[in-house]
Amino acid sequence: MSKQENCDVLVVGAGPAGLTAGIYSSWLGLKTIVLESGIVGGRAWLAPKIENFPGFEQGIKGSDLVEKMSKQASRFNADIKINEEVIGLDLHDEVKKVISRRQNYETSALIIATGTQRRKLSVAGEADFLGRGVSYCAVCDGPFFRGSDVAIIGNGEEAAIDALFLADIARKVAVVTQEKEVDIEGTLLDRLQKKPNVEIIKGKVTEIVGQQVVGAVKIVEHESQQEALKEVKGVFISLGGVPMTAVVRNAGITTDRAGCLTVDRQQRTNVEGVFAAGDCTCGGMQVVTAAGEGAMAAMRASAYARKKL
Ligand SMILES: Cc1cc2nc3c(=O)[nH]c(=O)nc-3n(C[C@H](O)[C@H](O)[C@H](O)COP(=O)(O)OP(=O)(O)OC[C@H]3O[C@@H](n4cnc5c(N)ncnc54)[C@H](O)[C@@H]3O)c2cc1C
């Protein structure tokens, strides 16, 4: 791995936070590289419809929104590289070294925008039936369950969005809350309750069962404490995310007990010249807040990098 590239600002992650950071620092005239291990657009790419991002009064498909962000960053010459998983950081010197699976990079300022990874349900059957009925992505795998009965596990906004999406595809959708209460507010809850084929079950899934593929979930209802078997072909786990921060913790960047990167109001981490933005800081966990933090991080990172030029 001898190849090496240099830049002024390097961004890890091309979700809404990383893409916005890329737009800002390249627009400010800094040589910017954005490294992405998965899909350009991050988790927002999966959102069937984003109704709360300013400027799109009719809402916009997540993949369309992030494609616009990506094109905007490229227009200012940000270099967005895919299949570039960052596996190591060396932040001991003024010039920061970033190691991906393919090559090394050196940068004056670094922005971490690595988002979150799916929270596991941690019950028997979850790992065994992964890809055989168990999924963490309703938008990706939902169409395989057309006309079938499915369960969504989760009590938050993400579970509600997934349930609304699947209600138009599946025969019946059971939303199993896991927690005692539903944590879905406003119009989202109204829309969910109006769907005739959606049932909200206040209970806890204790096991996913089946033969070759998923056949049912075992649910213990919170109020009665009775266990029941609910026959479903698909189980969608929508429990939100945990920050993807293993690489940065190893490099000495401070996180809190939940693994969220600790930042100040200017998105600075504890390491000089290293900034963080978006869901990995556990801010608003929304596209608009990720974009806002990305913009702030890039403005500060650009000012920092300029001093080093
Ligand atoms: C189904 C669904 C619906 C949603 N609906 C809405 C909505 O309506 N409104 C709203 O505001 N929000 C919504 N969200 C939430 C929103 O998508 C997130 O808050 C937002 O994407 C966070 O942006 P981010 O850039 O911080 O992180 P992410 O979007 O998670 O992007 C992080 C990126 O970093 C990459 N990465 C991670 N580690 C590395 C590494 N080591 N090297 C290189 N790259 C790495 C990841 O592959 C990923 O692409 C929804 C999410 C989902 C899943």
Side-chain angles (χ1 to χ4, degrees):
M1 202 206 289
S2 55
K3 214 175 148 202
Q4 180 172 302
E5 277 185 65
N6 299 349
C7 60
D8 303 320
V9 177
L10 188 141
V11 184
V12 186
L19 288 173
T20 308
I23 291 169
Y24 265 75
S25 61
S26 54
W27 171 64
L28 288 167
L30 281 297
K31 186 179 175 197
T32 303
I33 293 177
V34 183
L35 301 181
E36 170 56 52
S37 58
I39 303 169
V40 170
R43 280 169 30 78
W45 190 89
L46 300 170
K49 194 172 185 189
I50 296 181
E51 298 194 274
N52 51 8
F53 192 82
F56 299 94
E57 73 271 37
Q58 300 300 326
I60 181 167
K61 217 172 144 192
S63 54
D64 290 345
L65 178 61
V66 291
E67 195 188 330
K68 282 177 184 292
M69 291 182 182
S70 172
K71 283 185 177 160
Q72 198 174 352
S74 298
R75 187 162 73 83
F76 296 122
N77 293 326
D79 185 4
I80 302 169
K81 294 175 187 287
I82 55 168
N83 297 324
E84 276 283 31
E85 185 186 359
V86 171
I87 52 171
L89 301 171
D90 180 350
L91 308 177
H92 290 106
D93 301 325
E94 205 167 87
V95 174
K96 285 131 192 65
K97 296 183 184 62
V98 177
I99 301 132
S100 84
R101 287 202 187 276
R102 292 179 169 200
Q103 67 178 85
N104 292 343
Y105 296 87
E106 286 194 351
T107 182
S108 302
L110 177 65
I111 299 174
I112 308 293
T114 46
T116 56
Q117 62 188 353
R118 315 309 306 124
R119 197 182 293 278
K120 298 273 188 304
L121 182 58
S122 302
V123 299
E126 180 179 18
D128 299 337
F129 292 113
L130 184 61
R132 291 188 289 135
V134 170
S135 167
Y136 296 88
C137 178
V139 177
C140 323
D141 299 327
F144 293 117
F145 297 89
R146 192 167 295 281
S148 303
D149 291 358
V150 299
I152 292 176
I153 321 298
N155 75 329
E157 189 181 311
E158 196 176 311
I161 291 169
D162 284 348
L164 286 172
F165 175 73
L166 287 170
D168 294 335
I169 294 175
R171 194 177 76 101
K172 281 187 185 168
V173 178
V175 180
V176 188
T177 56
Q178 282 311 94
E179 302 296 327
K180 288 204 169 127
E181 294 306 328
V182 179
D183 190 17
I184 307 164
E185 288 170 4
T187 53
L188 210 50
L189 185 60
D190 290 346
R191 282 167 57 199
L192 201 58
Q193 285 168 335
K194 280 186 189 137
K195 289 276 178 192
N197 60 341
V198 174
E199 177 191 12
I200 298 176
I201 301 172
K202 290 186 180 175
K204 213 175 169 83
V205 169
T206 53
E207 192 178 345
I208 300 168
V209 293
Q211 298 292 331
Q212 300 295 324
V213 294
V214 167
V217 283
K218 274 187 193 165
I219 304 169
V220 176
E221 286 210 21
H222 285 311
E223 204 174 303
S224 65
Q225 282 300 302
Q226 281 190 346
E227 187 180 84
L229 205 59
K230 182 105 189 150
E231 285 188 17
V232 289
K233 288 200 170 144
V235 178
F236 292 87
I237 297 165
S238 306
L239 294 168
V242 282
M244 303 245 271
T245 46
V247 174
V248 297
R249 267 194 305 221
N250 292 341
I253 298 171
T254 307
T255 62
D256 67 14
R257 284 174 64 189
C260 313
L261 267 80
T262 312
V263 287
D264 66 11
R265 287 174 62 91
Q266 302 191 337
Q267 304 304 132
R268 290 183 297 206
T269 69
N270 60 310
V271 179
E272 202 185 300
V274 180
F275 304 78
D279 284 5
C280 67
T281 70
C282 305
M285 310 306 267
Q286 294 284 291
V287 177
V288 71
T289 51
E293 288 190 9
M296 174 62 91
M299 287 192 285
R300 297 301 160 211
S302 299
Y304 179 86
R306 237 180 239 298
K307 277 194 234 148
K308 308 282 164 194
L309 288 176

